[in-house]
Amino acid sequence: MKKASPPSLQRLLLAVLIAFVAIDAAIGYATKTTTFLADAVDIQTPATLYAKLDYFRELRGRRIAFVGDSVVYGRRMEEAGDANWRQHTIPAHVGQILHERFPQQPISIMNLAMNGGLPTDIEQVVRLLSPLKPDCIVADISLRAFSTDFSQESNRYSRPWLSTMVIDSSFNLHDDDTRRAWTSRTETTLQDFALSHWRLYRMRDFVQWRVFDGEPSGVIRRLRDRLDRQLGRPPAEADPLDDILLTIKAKNRYGAVTLTDDNPQIAALKRTLDGLASNAQCAVFFYATEEKGQLAELMDAQHYEKLQDALTAIFLPYQNRGIMFLPPLPDIGKQYYLDYGHLNDAGNAIVARNIVENGLSQSIPQLRREP
């Protein structure tokens, strides 16, 4: 009896190729029919940002994108014990308010904020986001970001790759860093091609951060901590020195704030505003209100007011060009803060209402009318 011959290499490769195409198509369908990519994650790579922007451009209805720092990102709530922190961020509350007011109107919210995000980072995210023509871009601003600590070239970006990230008119990803060696540029070009055309590869970083919160080792640490709690083992005590050092660092940062044109972060903010105004892009900037009691330990009250006046003056030339600035809210109460600058769920809800009432409702005509 004649034995069956093993499959040829060509047939095997064809089968693998068909499997990859099927998986890629399934991922494409899943990402378009679910809100998985709308979930907030720590954007640490071009792949993650590219995947979220690709999802955002396919959305229908009113599309509002949030950019900024950890105040908007919101993960500080998880560190304080809020397991459902993604549903309690400022963008999430804005989405909830708008959906309740306009149940018949499709509205999508995208959180593109980054831990430690600076005006230079915001400038680049807005550059990549603007061609997608969102109905409005919402960004937070804080004095901390204008510290001279972030003036040096080495500290100017929290994500240096943003400055060379390019998405062309066909929505293909490129890296425009000409300073790299040709071997590195070749590797990056191949990687960008894969990210542009292979969804499975594109989703790798996003899934890693969404499922594992970074590295898989983080899952092991969390499981270990959960087991310790179940076994009744006392948690490791926080070192009081950490809080003292954090306060000293914050005080130094606030003491080094300058709002002059020679500050690269101010220059980046003004370029962002110029670009938004030139494109007639709706934008709402809001100031991330600090807890007044702790703020007094970081900065003199009169100096703080002078800086706020100077910051407001930067936005004045743009107030009739589609850009709105919401100054700090009055004292909303110490109970709404996790630290001097980050809010809890209830505090984020207060800020979100302010953004909707005094920002988005004024800037987007379709959101002015009650249903």
Side-chain angles (χ1 to χ4, degrees), residues 61-62 94-108 366-367 369-371:
R62 302 292 158 205
V94 167
Q96 182 179 351
I97 294 169
L98 293 177
H99 286 128
E100 289 174 354
R101 293 189 181 186
F102 305 96
Q104 304 303 321
Q105 194 171 148
I107 299 173
S108 299
Q366 292 80 3
L367 300 183
R369 299 187 295 271
E370 293 294 336

Side-chain angles (χ1 to χ4, degrees), residues 320-335:
N320 295 321
R321 302 177 65 189
I323 299 173
M324 182 172 290
F325 176 61
L326 303 178
L329 287 169
D331 190 355
I332 64 175
K334 186 177 181 179
Q335 69 272 25

Side-chain angles (χ1 to χ4, degrees), residues 213-277:
D213 283 338
E215 300 294 333
S217 58
V219 176
I220 298 175
R221 287 195 300 271
R222 287 191 294 276
L223 288 174
R224 182 194 61 199
D225 293 341
R226 184 180 300 175
L227 181 61
D228 285 343
R229 289 194 296 270
Q230 291 176 349
L231 295 175
R233 295 173 182 169
E237 294 185 5
D239 188 345
L241 184 60
D242 290 343
D243 290 336
I244 296 173
L245 293 175
L246 186 63
T247 300
I248 293 173
K249 185 176 181 179
K251 187 171 184 177
N252 289 338
R253 286 249 166 98
Y254 273 84
V257 169
T258 62
L259 301 183
T260 54
D261 288 342
D262 59 348
N263 185 330
Q265 302 298 334
I266 286 292
L269 173 60
K270 290 186 175 182
R271 287 193 301 266
T272 303
L273 296 175
D274 286 336
L276 290 168

Side-chain angles (χ1 to χ4, degrees), residues 161-177:
W161 48 264
L162 276 170
S163 63
T164 58
M165 180 176 172
V166 175
I167 301 176
D168 65 23
S169 57
S170 299
F171 212 79
N172 293 319
L173 181 65
H174 304 282
D175 185 280
D176 198 28
D177 190 353

Side-chain angles (χ1 to χ4, degrees), residues 246-248 250-252 254-255 293-300 340:
L246 186 63
T247 300
I248 293 173
K251 187 171 184 177
N252 289 338
Y254 273 84
Q294 296 182 65
L295 179 64
E297 300 177 9
L298 305 177
M299 177 175 286
D300 174 73
Y340 75 91

Side-chain angles (χ1 to χ4, degrees), residues 142-156:
S142 70
L143 288 178
R144 166 197 166 275
F146 301 108
S147 169
T148 54
D149 286 359
F150 307 117
S151 294
Q152 298 178 5
E153 189 170 355
S154 58
N155 298 329
R156 203 163 289 176

